[in-house]
């Protein structure tokens, strides 16, 4: 299945800025990416925005792109979106809020403060998005797959 690209070329310039060459051959430097639905449908709907804030191109589905452009866009999105994955809940200092949590993420162990229970957002299929007081969003891809102690501690806040 062939996908028609909404651009001629994508690459990074010498300064690490994303450059998109549009279908007319015009180069746009410093293009930024915005997902339409970053949590519920991260593969669907990505807008390429020019330096003046106008949409330059729309991508229906990232996975439908050829390998090169898809990998470049995924790397740019990953650099922009910092969402560590919670692997294990080690301890909490209190079962009320605010509370300090010690957790293990895919990037190492960290302490963070959970301000209120409302900062734990339940998503479909057992996924969670937990926001710390510093605004860092931790993702839990499947709360049911966590170890027993993590599930027990987490249940006190859900």
């Amino acid at each position: 299945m062939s996908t028609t690209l909404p651009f001629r070329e994508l690459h990074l310039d010498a300064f690490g800025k994303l450059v998109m060459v549009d279908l007319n051959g015009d180069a746009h430097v410093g293009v930024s990416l915005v997902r339409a639905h970053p949590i519920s449908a991260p593969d669907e709907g990505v807008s390429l925005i020019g330096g003046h804030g106008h949409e330059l191109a729309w991508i229906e589905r990232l996975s439908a792109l050829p390998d090169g452009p898809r990998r470049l866009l995924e790397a740019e999105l990953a650099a922009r979106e910092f969402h560590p994955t919670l692997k294990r809940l080690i301890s909490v200092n209190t079962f009320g809020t605010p509370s300090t949590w010690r957790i293990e993420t895919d990037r190492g162990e960290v302490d963070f403060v959970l301000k209120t229970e409302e900062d734990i957002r339940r998503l479909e299929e057992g996924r969670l998005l937990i926001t710390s007081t510093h605004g860092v969003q931790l993702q839990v891809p499947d709360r049911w797959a966590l170890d027993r102690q993590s599930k027990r501690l987490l249940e006190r806040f859900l």
Side-chain angles (χ1 to χ4, degrees):
M1 177 170 131
S2 169
T3 301
T4 304
L5 296 176
F7 50 80
R8 280 191 188 172
E9 179 187 342
L10 280 177
H11 66 272
L12 296 177
D13 69 9
F15 301 103
K17 292 187 177 196
L18 184 62
V19 178
M20 183 193 89
V21 179
D22 65 22
L23 297 175
N24 295 326
D26 297 325
H28 302 273
V29 179
V31 172
S32 58
L33 307 172
V34 178
R35 291 186 200 258
H37 307 284
I39 296 170
S40 62
D43 185 53
E44 299 174 18
V46 176
S47 182
L48 283 76
I49 308 294
H52 298 297
H54 297 286
E55 184 176 84
L56 301 171
W58 175 257
I59 298 168
E60 286 291 328
R61 185 175 296 275
L62 275 175
S63 59
L65 293 176
D67 208 32
R70 179 184 46 77
R71 280 192 310 222
L72 177 59
L73 293 176
E74 287 174 344
E76 287 294 301
L77 286 164
R80 177 184 166 117
E81 301 167 342
F82 180 68
H83 297 290
T85 300
L86 186 145
K87 294 171 66 177
R88 184 169 64 105
L89 182 51
I90 299 168
S91 65
V92 296
N93 71 333
T94 180
F95 291 114
T97 55
S99 59
T100 301
W101 292 29
R102 178 130 188 97
I103 61 169
E104 178 185 342
T105 73
D106 58 340
R107 297 185 166 137
E109 286 189 14
V110 68
D111 292 335
F112 79 94
V113 175
L114 180 74
K115 190 171 42 177
T116 69
E117 287 90 356
E118 287 78 33
D119 289 331
I120 302 175
R121 184 169 170 198
R122 295 178 194 214
L123 305 171
E124 66 276 349
E125 300 167 3
R127 295 185 307 137
L128 300 172
L129 195 60
I130 304 170
T131 305
S132 76
T133 55
H134 290 27
V136 174
Q137 293 184 323
L138 301 151
Q139 60 182 349
V140 180
D142 181 2
R143 76 183 218 212
W144 308 116
L146 293 172
D147 64 275
R148 196 161 94 193
Q149 176 185 336
S150 297
K151 286 190 278 193
R152 187 172 52 242
L153 292 171
L154 186 60
E155 285 300 319
R156 299 270 192 126
F157 294 91
L158 295 177

